Amino acid sequence: MKNLIKIAVLSLLPVLAMASGGGNEGLDPVDINLADKSSLQRGAKTFVNYCLSCHSAAYMRYERMGTDLGINKQLLRENLMLATEKPGDTMTVTMSEDGAKKWFGVVPPDLSLTARSKGPDWIYTYLRSFYWDKSSPTGWNNTLFPNVAMPHVLYRLQGYREAEFEGTAGGIQHFAGYVEKTPGQMSNEEYDAAMRDLTNFMVYLAEPAKLVRYKIGVWVMIFMGVLILLTYATKKEYWRDVH
Ligand code: HEC
């Protein structure tokens, strides 16, 4: 009996941990909108231009992305298909795994499902947490992902900045803020907006079927609306003689 209680309590622990953790401390919340096609298109463009050289998105085909995001074949070919000629191809990288290991020490992970494993807030915060760090092998570091092997590939857009830390007591340093060194092509607001679009795109990437569900949802709402009007009209018709 005692064991049974123990098992019951233990099996509840993960639930309790999730309920109390929340898990989003230190992350900046991002308000994404999968119904915003132009945001998804801008995100796709950034992704293809800046991320696909190292990361793959092996579950996505260019063709499907074009259809889902409302991008016509010609635009898709000219702007988004930089690594292949065939729209039916998946979004893979040309870099070899051996090369990646040599350059970064790790193989850049496939990003198809990262929005599901890490969550949108994590990705949005990560992409806005890089700073210049002379002691790192790539010259870059990240306050959310310390000693990250990924360089800040968007530094031209965001600009150079360093991070300040304080309180070395006990060897523990606390992040105190960023110091802007050289401005980038984008203002802070523009960069945040671009990262919001990119996060939006990665959420779509992780679950393309969500877009289809949105579409079905809209038709269900329209159907219900028409049904309510018809029901109301019928009711009026029936009760006309009574009043
Ligand atoms: C120059 C190669 C390179 C480019 C370009 C690049 N990354 Fe990375 N990225 C890496 C490497 C290497 C890692 C692994 C970091 C580690 O484990 O320390 C990584 C890790 C990540 C992670 C963490 C994934 C996880 O599950 O831990 C995310 C998210 C990510 N990259 C997003 C992006 C996005 C978005 C872009 C485009 C803006 C991009 N990366 C461009 C090399 C790259």
Side-chain angles (χ1 to χ4, degrees), residues 46-47 50-55 95 104 106-109 111 114 117-118 122-123 126-127 145 147-151 153-154 195 198 202:
T46 309
F47 188 82
Y50 291 98
C51 315
L52 217 48
S53 46
C54 290
H55 293 280
M95 193 193 332
F104 307 112
V106 284
V107 178
L111 292 182
T114 310
S117 59
K118 299 277 190 181
W122 191 92
I123 291 174
Y126 171 70
L127 293 169
F145 192 151
N147 305 318
V148 70
M150 172 171 149
V153 293
L154 299 169
M195 292 311 101
L198 181 52
M202 286 180 66

PDB file of all heavy atoms in Angstrom, residues 46-47 50-55 95 104 106-109 111 114 117-118 122-123 126-127 145 147-151 153-154 195 198 202, ligand 1:
ATOM      1  N   THR A  46      14.529  35.719 -44.517  1.00  0.00           N
ATOM      2  CA  THR A  46      15.663  35.781 -43.586  1.00  0.00           C
ATOM      3  C   THR A  46      16.228  34.387 -43.359  1.00  0.00           C
ATOM      4  O   THR A  46      17.434  34.173 -43.382  1.00  0.00           O
ATOM      5  CB  THR A  46      15.217  36.380 -42.233  1.00  0.00           C
ATOM      6  OG1 THR A  46      14.528  37.600 -42.478  1.00  0.00           O
ATOM      7  CG2 THR A  46      16.409  36.656 -41.331  1.00  0.00           C
ATOM      8  N   PHE A  47      15.341  33.431 -43.162  1.00  0.00           N
ATOM      9  CA  PHE A  47      15.772  32.061 -42.868  1.00  0.00           C
ATOM     10  C   PHE A  47      16.624  31.500 -44.006  1.00  0.00           C
ATOM     11  O   PHE A  47      17.699  30.958 -43.784  1.00  0.00           O
ATOM     12  CB  PHE A  47      14.539  31.172 -42.641  1.00  0.00           C
ATOM     13  CG  PHE A  47      14.877  29.789 -42.157  1.00  0.00           C
ATOM     14  CD1 PHE A  47      15.134  29.555 -40.816  1.00  0.00           C
ATOM     15  CD2 PHE A  47      14.939  28.726 -43.042  1.00  0.00           C
ATOM     16  CE1 PHE A  47      15.458  28.280 -40.375  1.00  0.00           C
ATOM     17  CE2 PHE A  47      15.265  27.445 -42.597  1.00  0.00           C
ATOM     18  CZ  PHE A  47      15.519  27.218 -41.263  1.00  0.00           C
ATOM     19  N   TYR A  50      20.034  33.597 -44.313  1.00  0.00           N
ATOM     20  CA  TYR A  50      20.991  33.666 -43.219  1.00  0.00           C
ATOM     21  C   TYR A  50      21.155  32.363 -42.428  1.00  0.00           C
ATOM     22  O   TYR A  50      22.103  32.249 -41.655  1.00  0.00           O
ATOM     23  CB  TYR A  50      20.601  34.768 -42.229  1.00  0.00           C
ATOM     24  CG  TYR A  50      20.755  36.155 -42.776  1.00  0.00           C
ATOM     25  CD1 TYR A  50      19.671  36.837 -43.296  1.00  0.00           C
ATOM     26  CD2 TYR A  50      22.005  36.781 -42.767  1.00  0.00           C
ATOM     27  CE1 TYR A  50      19.812  38.123 -43.800  1.00  0.00           C
ATOM     28  CE2 TYR A  50      22.144  38.060 -43.261  1.00  0.00           C
ATOM     29  CZ  TYR A  50      21.050  38.729 -43.774  1.00  0.00           C
ATOM     30  OH  TYR A  50      21.188  39.997 -44.261  1.00  0.00           O
ATOM     31  N   CYS A  51      20.237  31.422 -42.557  1.00  0.00           N
ATOM     32  CA  CYS A  51      20.311  30.260 -41.670  1.00  0.00           C
ATOM     33  C   CYS A  51      20.576  28.968 -42.427  1.00  0.00           C
ATOM     34  O   CYS A  51      21.246  28.076 -41.919  1.00  0.00           O
ATOM     35  CB  CYS A  51      19.006  30.115 -40.893  1.00  0.00           C
ATOM     36  SG  CYS A  51      18.383  31.656 -40.219  1.00  0.00           S
ATOM     37  N   LEU A  52      20.045  28.875 -43.627  1.00  0.00           N
ATOM     38  CA  LEU A  52      20.071  27.623 -44.387  1.00  0.00           C
ATOM     39  C   LEU A  52      21.468  27.232 -44.847  1.00  0.00           C
ATOM     40  O   LEU A  52      21.677  26.118 -45.310  1.00  0.00           O
ATOM     41  CB  LEU A  52      19.122  27.744 -45.582  1.00  0.00           C
ATOM     42  CG  LEU A  52      18.331  26.506 -45.984  1.00  0.00           C
ATOM     43  CD1 LEU A  52      17.660  25.856 -44.804  1.00  0.00           C
ATOM     44  CD2 LEU A  52      17.309  26.861 -47.045  1.00  0.00           C
ATOM     45  N   SER A  53      22.437  28.138 -44.735  1.00  0.00           N
ATOM     46  CA  SER A  53      23.791  27.768 -45.133  1.00  0.00           C
ATOM     47  C   SER A  53      24.398  26.785 -44.133  1.00  0.00           C
ATOM     48  O   SER A  53      25.248  25.980 -44.485  1.00  0.00           O
ATOM     49  CB  SER A  53      24.661  29.008 -45.259  1.00  0.00           C
ATOM     50  OG  SER A  53      24.461  29.846 -44.150  1.00  0.00           O
ATOM     51  N   CYS A  54      23.969  26.849 -42.874  1.00  0.00           N
ATOM     52  CA  CYS A  54      24.487  25.930 -41.861  1.00  0.00           C
ATOM     53  C   CYS A  54      23.428  24.929 -41.401  1.00  0.00           C
ATOM     54  O   CYS A  54      23.727  23.771 -41.168  1.00  0.00           O
ATOM     55  CB  CYS A  54      24.966  26.702 -40.635  1.00  0.00           C
ATOM     56  SG  CYS A  54      26.453  27.651 -40.925  1.00  0.00           S
ATOM     57  N   HIS A  55      22.194  25.427 -41.208  1.00  0.00           N
ATOM     58  CA  HIS A  55      21.127  24.570 -40.681  1.00  0.00           C
ATOM     59  C   HIS A  55      20.268  24.045 -41.814  1.00  0.00           C
ATOM     60  O   HIS A  55      20.021  24.758 -42.783  1.00  0.00           O
ATOM     61  CB  HIS A  55      20.196  25.372 -39.762  1.00  0.00           C
ATOM     62  CG  HIS A  55      20.830  25.842 -38.504  1.00  0.00           C
ATOM     63  ND1 HIS A  55      21.011  25.038 -37.411  1.00  0.00           N
ATOM     64  CD2 HIS A  55      21.318  27.060 -38.150  1.00  0.00           C
ATOM     65  CE1 HIS A  55      21.581  25.734 -36.435  1.00  0.00           C
ATOM     66  NE2 HIS A  55      21.785  26.963 -36.860  1.00  0.00           N
ATOM     67  N   MET A  95      26.662  22.099 -46.711  1.00  0.00           N
ATOM     68  CA  MET A  95      27.849  21.925 -45.874  1.00  0.00           C
ATOM     69  C   MET A  95      27.928  20.478 -45.377  1.00  0.00           C
ATOM     70  O   MET A  95      26.926  19.907 -44.975  1.00  0.00           O
ATOM     71  CB  MET A  95      27.765  22.848 -44.655  1.00  0.00           C
ATOM     72  CG  MET A  95      29.087  22.948 -43.940  1.00  0.00           C
ATOM     73  SD  MET A  95      28.995  23.704 -42.323  1.00  0.00           S
ATOM     74  CE  MET A  95      27.643  24.777 -42.382  1.00  0.00           C
ATOM     75  N   PHE A 104      32.920  24.413 -36.226  1.00  0.00           N
ATOM     76  CA  PHE A 104      32.152  24.856 -35.059  1.00  0.00           C
ATOM     77  C   PHE A 104      32.275  23.929 -33.859  1.00  0.00           C
ATOM     78  O   PHE A 104      31.803  24.237 -32.771  1.00  0.00           O
ATOM     79  CB  PHE A 104      30.674  24.999 -35.414  1.00  0.00           C
ATOM     80  CG  PHE A 104      30.440  25.859 -36.620  1.00  0.00           C
ATOM     81  CD1 PHE A 104      29.966  25.306 -37.791  1.00  0.00           C
ATOM     82  CD2 PHE A 104      30.733  27.211 -36.588  1.00  0.00           C
ATOM     83  CE1 PHE A 104      29.772  26.098 -38.908  1.00  0.00           C
ATOM     84  CE2 PHE A 104      30.542  27.999 -37.700  1.00  0.00           C
ATOM     85  CZ  PHE A 104      30.068  27.446 -38.872  1.00  0.00           C
ATOM     86  N   VAL A 106      30.601  21.415 -33.401  1.00  0.00           N
ATOM     87  CA  VAL A 106      29.340  20.659 -33.385  1.00  0.00           C
ATOM     88  C   VAL A 106      28.677  20.820 -34.749  1.00  0.00           C
ATOM     89  O   VAL A 106      28.980  21.756 -35.482  1.00  0.00           O
ATOM     90  CB  VAL A 106      28.338  21.192 -32.329  1.00  0.00           C
ATOM     91  CG1 VAL A 106      28.719  20.771 -30.953  1.00  0.00           C
ATOM     92  CG2 VAL A 106      28.215  22.701 -32.427  1.00  0.00           C
ATOM     93  N   VAL A 107      27.785  19.905 -35.080  1.00  0.00           N
ATOM     94  CA  VAL A 107      27.021  20.044 -36.314  1.00  0.00           C
ATOM     95  C   VAL A 107      25.801  20.912 -36.004  1.00  0.00           C
ATOM     96  O   VAL A 107      25.073  20.620 -35.055  1.00  0.00           O
ATOM     97  CB  VAL A 107      26.577  18.656 -36.822  1.00  0.00           C
ATOM     98  CG1 VAL A 107      25.735  18.793 -38.076  1.00  0.00           C
ATOM     99  CG2 VAL A 107      27.793  17.790 -37.066  1.00  0.00           C
ATOM    100  N   PRO A 108      25.591  21.993 -36.753  1.00  0.00           N
ATOM    101  CA  PRO A 108      24.406  22.824 -36.503  1.00  0.00           C
ATOM    102  C   PRO A 108      23.139  21.967 -36.621  1.00  0.00           C
ATOM    103  O   PRO A 108      22.978  21.271 -37.620  1.00  0.00           O
ATOM    104  CB  PRO A 108      24.456  23.864 -37.633  1.00  0.00           C
ATOM    105  CG  PRO A 108      25.894  23.892 -38.067  1.00  0.00           C
ATOM    106  CD  PRO A 108      26.412  22.510 -37.846  1.00  0.00           C
ATOM    107  N   PRO A 109      22.292  21.968 -35.591  1.00  0.00           N
ATOM    108  CA  PRO A 109      21.132  21.072 -35.607  1.00  0.00           C
ATOM    109  C   PRO A 109      20.103  21.453 -36.669  1.00  0.00           C
ATOM    110  O   PRO A 109      20.024  22.611 -37.068  1.00  0.00           O
ATOM    111  CB  PRO A 109      20.539  21.232 -34.200  1.00  0.00           C
ATOM    112  CG  PRO A 109      21.018  22.561 -33.733  1.00  0.00           C
ATOM    113  CD  PRO A 109      22.354  22.780 -34.375  1.00  0.00           C
ATOM    114  N   LEU A 111      16.661  22.583 -37.988  1.00  0.00           N
ATOM    115  CA  LEU A 111      15.780  23.538 -37.294  1.00  0.00           C
ATOM    116  C   LEU A 111      14.286  23.281 -37.533  1.00  0.00           C
ATOM    117  O   LEU A 111      13.456  24.078 -37.132  1.00  0.00           O
ATOM    118  CB  LEU A 111      16.120  24.977 -37.705  1.00  0.00           C
ATOM    119  CG  LEU A 111      17.485  25.521 -37.242  1.00  0.00           C
ATOM    120  CD1 LEU A 111      17.661  26.970 -37.671  1.00  0.00           C
ATOM    121  CD2 LEU A 111      17.649  25.407 -35.724  1.00  0.00           C
ATOM    122  N   THR A 114      12.689  22.893 -33.974  1.00  0.00           N
ATOM    123  CA  THR A 114      13.237  23.636 -32.834  1.00  0.00           C
ATOM    124  C   THR A 114      12.189  24.507 -32.150  1.00  0.00           C
ATOM    125  O   THR A 114      12.191  24.649 -30.925  1.00  0.00           O
ATOM    126  CB  THR A 114      14.414  24.516 -33.295  1.00  0.00           C
ATOM    127  OG1 THR A 114      15.305  23.700 -34.047  1.00  0.00           O
ATOM    128  CG2 THR A 114      15.153  25.098 -32.121  1.00  0.00           C
ATOM    129  N   SER A 117      10.595  22.235 -29.703  1.00  0.00           N
ATOM    130  CA  SER A 117      11.387  21.761 -28.571  1.00  0.00           C
ATOM    131  C   SER A 117      11.774  22.915 -27.644  1.00  0.00           C
ATOM    132  O   SER A 117      11.799  22.760 -26.429  1.00  0.00           O
ATOM    133  CB  SER A 117      12.628  21.018 -29.049  1.00  0.00           C
ATOM    134  OG  SER A 117      13.438  21.853 -29.847  1.00  0.00           O
ATOM    135  N   LYS A 118      12.077  24.082 -28.202  1.00  0.00           N
ATOM    136  CA  LYS A 118      12.533  25.206 -27.375  1.00  0.00           C
ATOM    137  C   LYS A 118      11.428  26.215 -27.080  1.00  0.00           C
ATOM    138  O   LYS A 118      11.498  26.930 -26.085  1.00  0.00           O
ATOM    139  CB  LYS A 118      13.663  25.949 -28.089  1.00  0.00           C
ATOM    140  CG  LYS A 118      14.887  25.091 -28.357  1.00  0.00           C
ATOM    141  CD  LYS A 118      15.792  25.026 -27.135  1.00  0.00           C
ATOM    142  CE  LYS A 118      17.095  24.373 -27.507  1.00  0.00           C
ATOM    143  NZ  LYS A 118      17.998  24.249 -26.379  1.00  0.00           N
ATOM    144  N   TRP A 122      11.885  31.290 -26.528  1.00  0.00           N
ATOM    145  CA  TRP A 122      13.314  30.964 -26.436  1.00  0.00           C
ATOM    146  C   TRP A 122      14.034  31.403 -27.710  1.00  0.00           C
ATOM    147  O   TRP A 122      15.083  32.051 -27.651  1.00  0.00           O
ATOM    148  CB  TRP A 122      13.498  29.450 -26.188  1.00  0.00           C
ATOM    149  CG  TRP A 122      14.902  29.094 -25.829  1.00  0.00           C
ATOM    150  CD1 TRP A 122      15.424  29.001 -24.566  1.00  0.00           C
ATOM    151  CD2 TRP A 122      15.992  28.828 -26.734  1.00  0.00           C
ATOM    152  NE1 TRP A 122      16.759  28.679 -24.642  1.00  0.00           N
ATOM    153  CE2 TRP A 122      17.132  28.566 -25.949  1.00  0.00           C
ATOM    154  CE3 TRP A 122      16.106  28.772 -28.128  1.00  0.00           C
ATOM    155  CZ2 TRP A 122      18.377  28.259 -26.505  1.00  0.00           C
ATOM    156  CZ3 TRP A 122      17.343  28.471 -28.696  1.00  0.00           C
ATOM    157  CH2 TRP A 122      18.462  28.219 -27.881  1.00  0.00           C
ATOM    158  N   ILE A 123      13.477  31.053 -28.872  1.00  0.00           N
ATOM    159  CA  ILE A 123      14.122  31.384 -30.147  1.00  0.00           C
ATOM    160  C   ILE A 123      14.242  32.896 -30.320  1.00  0.00           C
ATOM    161  O   ILE A 123      15.291  33.419 -30.688  1.00  0.00           O
ATOM    162  CB  ILE A 123      13.318  30.778 -31.314  1.00  0.00           C
ATOM    163  CG1 ILE A 123      13.448  29.257 -31.269  1.00  0.00           C
ATOM    164  CG2 ILE A 123      13.780  31.323 -32.655  1.00  0.00           C
ATOM    165  CD1 ILE A 123      12.606  28.546 -32.271  1.00  0.00           C
ATOM    166  N   TYR A 126      16.892  34.153 -27.937  1.00  0.00           N
ATOM    167  CA  TYR A 126      18.216  33.678 -28.389  1.00  0.00           C
ATOM    168  C   TYR A 126      18.758  34.549 -29.520  1.00  0.00           C
ATOM    169  O   TYR A 126      19.919  34.974 -29.494  1.00  0.00           O
ATOM    170  CB  TYR A 126      18.063  32.222 -28.832  1.00  0.00           C
ATOM    171  CG  TYR A 126      19.261  31.611 -29.527  1.00  0.00           C
ATOM    172  CD1 TYR A 126      20.426  31.326 -28.832  1.00  0.00           C
ATOM    173  CD2 TYR A 126      19.202  31.278 -30.882  1.00  0.00           C
ATOM    174  CE1 TYR A 126      21.520  30.734 -29.463  1.00  0.00           C
ATOM    175  CE2 TYR A 126      20.278  30.685 -31.526  1.00  0.00           C
ATOM    176  CZ  TYR A 126      21.435  30.429 -30.813  1.00  0.00           C
ATOM    177  OH  TYR A 126      22.507  29.847 -31.443  1.00  0.00           O
ATOM    178  N   LEU A 127      17.922  34.835 -30.507  1.00  0.00           N
ATOM    179  CA  LEU A 127      18.372  35.580 -31.678  1.00  0.00           C
ATOM    180  C   LEU A 127      18.679  37.042 -31.352  1.00  0.00           C
ATOM    181  O   LEU A 127      19.300  37.746 -32.134  1.00  0.00           O
ATOM    182  CB  LEU A 127      17.307  35.513 -32.789  1.00  0.00           C
ATOM    183  CG  LEU A 127      17.097  34.118 -33.398  1.00  0.00           C
ATOM    184  CD1 LEU A 127      15.861  34.096 -34.290  1.00  0.00           C
ATOM    185  CD2 LEU A 127      18.335  33.695 -34.176  1.00  0.00           C
ATOM    186  N   PHE A 145      22.503  31.471 -24.250  1.00  0.00           N
ATOM    187  CA  PHE A 145      23.154  30.193 -24.552  1.00  0.00           C
ATOM    188  C   PHE A 145      24.664  30.433 -24.421  1.00  0.00           C
ATOM    189  O   PHE A 145      25.358  30.611 -25.427  1.00  0.00           O
ATOM    190  CB  PHE A 145      22.780  29.797 -25.983  1.00  0.00           C
ATOM    191  CG  PHE A 145      23.123  28.391 -26.391  1.00  0.00           C
ATOM    192  CD1 PHE A 145      22.344  27.742 -27.348  1.00  0.00           C
ATOM    193  CD2 PHE A 145      24.208  27.705 -25.864  1.00  0.00           C
ATOM    194  CE1 PHE A 145      22.639  26.448 -27.760  1.00  0.00           C
ATOM    195  CE2 PHE A 145      24.507  26.414 -26.263  1.00  0.00           C
ATOM    196  CZ  PHE A 145      23.722  25.784 -27.220  1.00  0.00           C
ATOM    197  N   ASN A 147      28.598  30.432 -24.274  1.00  0.00           N
ATOM    198  CA  ASN A 147      29.596  29.682 -25.042  1.00  0.00           C
ATOM    199  C   ASN A 147      29.004  28.962 -26.244  1.00  0.00           C
ATOM    200  O   ASN A 147      29.442  27.884 -26.619  1.00  0.00           O
ATOM    201  CB  ASN A 147      30.333  28.676 -24.150  1.00  0.00           C
ATOM    202  CG  ASN A 147      30.951  29.362 -22.953  1.00  0.00           C
ATOM    203  OD1 ASN A 147      31.517  30.447 -23.066  1.00  0.00           O
ATOM    204  ND2 ASN A 147      30.807  28.750 -21.792  1.00  0.00           N
ATOM    205  N   VAL A 148      27.998  29.545 -26.826  1.00  0.00           N
ATOM    206  CA  VAL A 148      27.352  28.954 -27.997  1.00  0.00           C
ATOM    207  C   VAL A 148      28.355  28.831 -29.149  1.00  0.00           C
ATOM    208  O   VAL A 148      29.246  29.673 -29.291  1.00  0.00           O
ATOM    209  CB  VAL A 148      26.138  29.808 -28.420  1.00  0.00           C
ATOM    210  CG1 VAL A 148      26.565  31.134 -29.005  1.00  0.00           C
ATOM    211  CG2 VAL A 148      25.245  29.066 -29.413  1.00  0.00           C
ATOM    212  N   ALA A 149      28.230  27.766 -29.944  1.00  0.00           N
ATOM    213  CA  ALA A 149      29.158  27.560 -31.066  1.00  0.00           C
ATOM    214  C   ALA A 149      28.713  28.320 -32.309  1.00  0.00           C
ATOM    215  O   ALA A 149      29.433  28.368 -33.302  1.00  0.00           O
ATOM    216  CB  ALA A 149      29.271  26.074 -31.375  1.00  0.00           C
ATOM    217  N   MET A 150      27.514  28.881 -32.272  1.00  0.00           N
ATOM    218  CA  MET A 150      27.015  29.603 -33.447  1.00  0.00           C
ATOM    219  C   MET A 150      27.489  31.057 -33.441  1.00  0.00           C
ATOM    220  O   MET A 150      27.347  31.744 -32.449  1.00  0.00           O
ATOM    221  CB  MET A 150      25.481  29.556 -33.461  1.00  0.00           C
ATOM    222  CG  MET A 150      24.845  30.426 -34.534  1.00  0.00           C
ATOM    223  SD  MET A 150      23.070  30.112 -34.665  1.00  0.00           S
ATOM    224  CE  MET A 150      22.485  31.729 -35.165  1.00  0.00           C
ATOM    225  N   PRO A 151      28.081  31.514 -34.552  1.00  0.00           N
ATOM    226  CA  PRO A 151      28.438  32.938 -34.622  1.00  0.00           C
ATOM    227  C   PRO A 151      27.188  33.795 -34.806  1.00  0.00           C
ATOM    228  O   PRO A 151      26.136  33.281 -35.178  1.00  0.00           O
ATOM    229  CB  PRO A 151      29.330  33.013 -35.863  1.00  0.00           C
ATOM    230  CG  PRO A 151      28.987  31.815 -36.691  1.00  0.00           C
ATOM    231  CD  PRO A 151      28.440  30.766 -35.767  1.00  0.00           C
ATOM    232  N   VAL A 153      25.302  35.478 -36.952  1.00  0.00           N
ATOM    233  CA  VAL A 153      25.259  35.637 -38.407  1.00  0.00           C
ATOM    234  C   VAL A 153      24.468  36.873 -38.838  1.00  0.00           C
ATOM    235  O   VAL A 153      24.506  37.275 -39.985  1.00  0.00           O
ATOM    236  CB  VAL A 153      24.668  34.383 -39.081  1.00  0.00           C
ATOM    237  CG1 VAL A 153      25.610  33.201 -38.890  1.00  0.00           C
ATOM    238  CG2 VAL A 153      23.292  34.056 -38.534  1.00  0.00           C
ATOM    239  N   LEU A 154      23.759  37.493 -37.896  1.00  0.00           N
ATOM    240  CA  LEU A 154      22.938  38.661 -38.246  1.00  0.00           C
ATOM    241  C   LEU A 154      23.560  39.959 -37.739  1.00  0.00           C
ATOM    242  O   LEU A 154      22.877  40.966 -37.619  1.00  0.00           O
ATOM    243  CB  LEU A 154      21.530  38.491 -37.656  1.00  0.00           C
ATOM    244  CG  LEU A 154      20.749  37.276 -38.170  1.00  0.00           C
ATOM    245  CD1 LEU A 154      19.501  37.056 -37.340  1.00  0.00           C
ATOM    246  CD2 LEU A 154      20.371  37.465 -39.630  1.00  0.00           C
ATOM    247  N   MET A 195      13.178  39.613 -36.085  1.00  0.00           N
ATOM    248  CA  MET A 195      13.323  38.375 -35.326  1.00  0.00           C
ATOM    249  C   MET A 195      11.959  37.774 -34.971  1.00  0.00           C
ATOM    250  O   MET A 195      11.807  36.568 -34.868  1.00  0.00           O
ATOM    251  CB  MET A 195      14.142  38.614 -34.047  1.00  0.00           C
ATOM    252  CG  MET A 195      15.609  38.937 -34.306  1.00  0.00           C
ATOM    253  SD  MET A 195      16.400  37.777 -35.446  1.00  0.00           S
ATOM    254  CE  MET A 195      16.394  38.692 -36.975  1.00  0.00           C
ATOM    255  N   LEU A 198      10.992  36.000 -38.102  1.00  0.00           N
ATOM    256  CA  LEU A 198      11.792  34.774 -38.238  1.00  0.00           C
ATOM    257  C   LEU A 198      11.282  33.699 -37.282  1.00  0.00           C
ATOM    258  O   LEU A 198      11.167  32.530 -37.642  1.00  0.00           O
ATOM    259  CB  LEU A 198      13.271  35.103 -37.961  1.00  0.00           C
ATOM    260  CG  LEU A 198      14.296  33.985 -38.076  1.00  0.00           C
ATOM    261  CD1 LEU A 198      14.194  33.273 -39.409  1.00  0.00           C
ATOM    262  CD2 LEU A 198      15.711  34.542 -37.914  1.00  0.00           C
ATOM    263  N   MET A 202       9.641  30.033 -38.036  1.00  0.00           N
ATOM    264  CA  MET A 202      10.122  28.773 -37.458  1.00  0.00           C
ATOM    265  C   MET A 202       9.006  28.016 -36.751  1.00  0.00           C
ATOM    266  O   MET A 202       9.024  26.784 -36.678  1.00  0.00           O
ATOM    267  CB  MET A 202      11.308  29.039 -36.530  1.00  0.00           C
ATOM    268  CG  MET A 202      12.579  29.355 -37.329  1.00  0.00           C
ATOM    269  SD  MET A 202      14.019  29.685 -36.284  1.00  0.00           S
ATOM    270  CE  MET A 202      14.262  28.082 -35.524  1.00  0.00           C
TER     271      MET A 202
HETATM  272  C1  HEC B   1      27.739  29.693 -39.570  1.00  0.00           C
HETATM  273  C2  HEC B   1      26.842  28.601 -39.302  1.00  0.00           C
HETATM  274  C3  HEC B   1      25.483  28.955 -38.711  1.00  0.00           C
HETATM  275  C4  HEC B   1      24.541  29.805 -39.251  1.00  0.00           C
HETATM  276  C5  HEC B   1      24.615  30.577 -40.550  1.00  0.00           C
HETATM  277  C6  HEC B   1      23.421  29.776 -38.342  1.00  0.00           C
HETATM  278  N1  HEC B   1      23.669  28.951 -37.291  1.00  0.00           N
HETATM  279 FE1  HEC B   1      22.380  28.477 -35.794  1.00  0.00          FE
HETATM  280  N2  HEC B   1      23.754  27.246 -34.965  1.00  0.00           N
HETATM  281  C7  HEC B   1      25.016  26.981 -35.485  1.00  0.00           C
HETATM  282  C8  HEC B   1      25.698  26.071 -34.603  1.00  0.00           C
HETATM  283  C9  HEC B   1      27.123  25.536 -34.807  1.00  0.00           C
HETATM  284  C10 HEC B   1      24.817  25.775 -33.549  1.00  0.00           C
HETATM  285  C11 HEC B   1      25.064  24.859 -32.351  1.00  0.00           C
HETATM  286  C12 HEC B   1      25.400  25.721 -31.165  1.00  0.00           C
HETATM  287  C13 HEC B   1      25.879  24.935 -29.983  1.00  0.00           C
HETATM  288  O1  HEC B   1      25.415  23.818 -29.774  1.00  0.00           O
HETATM  289  O2  HEC B   1      26.734  25.481 -29.238  1.00  0.00           O
HETATM  290  C14 HEC B   1      23.590  26.533 -33.803  1.00  0.00           C
HETATM  291  C15 HEC B   1      22.474  26.521 -32.966  1.00  0.00           C
HETATM  292  C16 HEC B   1      21.282  27.179 -33.243  1.00  0.00           C
HETATM  293  C17 HEC B   1      20.086  27.102 -32.425  1.00  0.00           C
HETATM  294  C18 HEC B   1      19.940  26.317 -31.130  1.00  0.00           C
HETATM  295  C19 HEC B   1      19.285  25.024 -31.474  1.00  0.00           C
HETATM  296  C20 HEC B   1      19.183  24.092 -30.321  1.00  0.00           C
HETATM  297  O3  HEC B   1      18.235  23.285 -30.361  1.00  0.00           O
HETATM  298  O4  HEC B   1      20.028  24.151 -29.423  1.00  0.00           O
HETATM  299  C21 HEC B   1      19.128  27.863 -33.033  1.00  0.00           C
HETATM  300  C22 HEC B   1      17.700  28.118 -32.568  1.00  0.00           C
HETATM  301  C23 HEC B   1      19.730  28.420 -34.223  1.00  0.00           C
HETATM  302  N3  HEC B   1      21.033  27.975 -34.316  1.00  0.00           N
HETATM  303  C24 HEC B   1      19.066  29.260 -35.084  1.00  0.00           C
HETATM  304  C25 HEC B   1      19.659  29.835 -36.193  1.00  0.00           C
HETATM  305  C26 HEC B   1      18.978  30.787 -37.051  1.00  0.00           C
HETATM  306  C27 HEC B   1      17.535  31.237 -36.888  1.00  0.00           C
HETATM  307  C28 HEC B   1      19.872  31.155 -38.013  1.00  0.00           C
HETATM  308  C29 HEC B   1      19.654  32.201 -39.095  1.00  0.00           C
HETATM  309  C30 HEC B   1      19.413  33.527 -38.632  1.00  0.00           C
HETATM  310  C31 HEC B   1      21.105  30.428 -37.757  1.00  0.00           C
HETATM  311  N4  HEC B   1      20.934  29.639 -36.639  1.00  0.00           N
HETATM  312  C32 HEC B   1      22.254  30.517 -38.543  1.00  0.00           C
HETATM  313  C33 HEC B   1      25.537  27.500 -36.637  1.00  0.00           C
HETATM  314  C34 HEC B   1      24.917  28.407 -37.474  1.00  0.00           C
END
